[in-house]
Amino acid sequence: MTQHDSPALPAHRPGAFGQAPDAPSLSRTTRPWMPALLYTLGFLTVYLLAICTPWGQRAENALFGLGKQGGEAAWIYPLSGAAYGSTPLPPLELSAKPTLMVGLAVIVVLTLVRRCWWQGFAALGVVILTTGGKEVLKSTLPRPDLVGAPENLLDQGFPSGHTAIPAALTLAAVLVVSPRIRPYIATAGVLWLACIAAASATMGGHRPSEVLGATLLACAWYGLATWLLPPAAAPGATRSTRALPVITLTVALVIALVSGARNDTLTRSLVSAATAFICAALVWYAAVGRPAHTARRTRPALR
């Protein structure tokens, strides 16, 4: 056998280890911490501007008609549970706690079925910290009376508990469901949130700042949860049709307009609808609108 016939040394085949020859190896998953910080700063900004300034208080008090709630004038009043003998739209009125309990049970079942333990713990944390944190904040954050408002306008709590439930449950659900259906679960949750947020604001149960604060609180906990998750358990990329975000937010706007509509004032109707739409957009962006969830830092493979 001549030297020309000698067998060649086996080529290095990184593919044997599941890697293409020239493909970069994934060193670590980079999950941004900035969204959680921004949502937290947004929450504090809403509180300081709307609750702790005279002009912020005057602007919101004006929406309540100098202390007259007038929930009966809202289009959604028959579904609010406030009317005698009516069935509340979850989680309004007395349906709040049952809705929360059912939501937590669904998250536990999905966690057990899919065996996504880290995601399940994170989802439960988002719901518990949002709803529990809401109770703590409502009792600890001061609401100074800077403009001599009527007594009933000092009773509302920041943030809104009715809005916190659909926001937290929606964000928790996207953590434990399959990535293929995650955008559609987020769509259903966002539409639910748009309805409840608009109803809470327009019927006088909560101010717009309280509704927006609850949504920002839920998004802040979700951002923190996704940042703290192990890389292997972090939410992956969500793929959906390009039209889905446009369709979702368009329908959310329509629902917000209808749920926030009143017979006696156009201003309060539009402000309530705008607040609910912003809440829906925030949750949609947090749940499926950040491809940075799967941004990866790469380095060349060692040879």
Side-chain angles (χ1 to χ4, degrees), residues 10-226:
H12 176 66
R13 293 185 296 113
F17 298 96
Q19 188 177 12
D22 296 324
S25 63
L26 299 179
S27 60
R28 61 187 295 269
T29 301
T30 304
R31 285 166 289 115
W33 52 267
M34 185 61 71
L37 176 61
L38 292 178
Y39 290 130
T40 303
L41 291 177
F43 176 87
L44 294 175
T45 300
V46 169
Y47 169 72
L48 292 175
L49 293 182
I51 308 299
C52 299
T53 62
W55 53 269
Q57 289 190 8
R58 289 193 183 95
E60 288 202 301
N61 290 347
L63 296 175
F64 283 78
L66 297 179
K68 298 178 181 179
Q69 294 188 7
E72 298 84 355
W75 290 9
I76 202 171
Y77 181 76
L79 299 176
S80 67
Y84 179 76
S86 64
T87 301
L89 182 68
L92 298 177
E93 294 294 334
L94 297 179
S95 66
K97 288 185 178 179
T99 302
L100 180 59
M101 293 299 103
V102 171
L104 288 172
V106 171
I107 292 172
V108 171
V109 170
L110 288 173
T111 301
L112 295 175
V113 170
R114 301 194 66 240
R115 298 183 180 181
C116 50
W117 312 120
W118 283 109
Q119 295 91 330
F121 287 133
L124 291 175
V126 169
V127 177
I128 293 173
L129 290 174
T130 300
T131 56
K134 173 265 304 180
E135 295 295 337
V136 174
L137 292 172
K138 285 176 68 172
S139 60
T140 57
L141 287 178
R143 179 186 289 276
D145 182 11
L146 303 178
V147 296
E151 183 178 355
N152 67 311
L153 291 184
L154 302 176
D155 295 335
Q156 284 83 21
F158 181 91
S160 164
H162 292 105
T163 306
I165 292 175
L169 288 178
T170 298
L171 293 170
V174 300
L175 283 172
V176 295
V177 299
S178 169
R180 291 182 296 179
I181 66 172
R182 185 178 298 144
Y184 307 102
I185 296 297
T187 294
V190 160
L191 300 183
W192 179 32
L193 173 62
C195 176
I196 300 304
S200 298
T202 198
M203 289 192 303
H206 286 285
R207 304 163 183 261
S209 62
E210 296 166 355
V211 171
L212 186 57
T215 303
L216 288 168
L217 180 63
C219 290
W221 285 122
Y222 176 81
L224 180 63
T226 56

